[in-house]
Amino acid sequence: MQFEPCGNRVLVTPDKANGKTAGGLLVPGNTNAYETGLVIGVGDGKLLISGERVAPKFTAGQKIAYVPAGSIEITGMDAKMVLLDNDAILGIITH
C-alpha cells in the first residue's frame, strides 16, 4: 500500500523513542516537546489565496524535528507513519 501526501502535508516515519532516561529509568510515553523522524513523502505545497502554490522546503530522505501535536497516524502501512502539516516541522537535522 502506498500513501502520497497532498497539499501542505508531509509524511514522516518517526524515530523510535528509547523510553529510558540516561540513568536507566523507564519513561512512560513521550515527554519531549518535539520528535524526530525521516521524511518519506511531501505534498505539492501550500496553496495561497492568490492561486500560487508555495513549494515545500522538505524532501524525502531528510531527517527532521517536528511537533507531534496535531499529527495523524497512518495505519495499515509496514512501518509507523505520521502525517504532519508543513508548519509543524521545526527544522532539518544535518550532521
Side-chain angles (χ1 to χ4, degrees), residues 16-32:
K16 292 184 169 84
N18 187 338
K20 287 185 181 180
T21 65
L25 297 173
L26 293 176
V27 179
N30 186 2
T31 58
N32 293 335

Side-chain angles (χ1 to χ4, degrees), residues 6-10 43-47 53-54 56 84-87:
C6 296
N8 198 33
R9 293 186 176 69
V10 179
D44 53 356
K46 185 174 189 173
L47 184 62
R53 192 166 294 273
V54 178
L84 308 169
D85 190 70
N86 212 354
D87 297 334

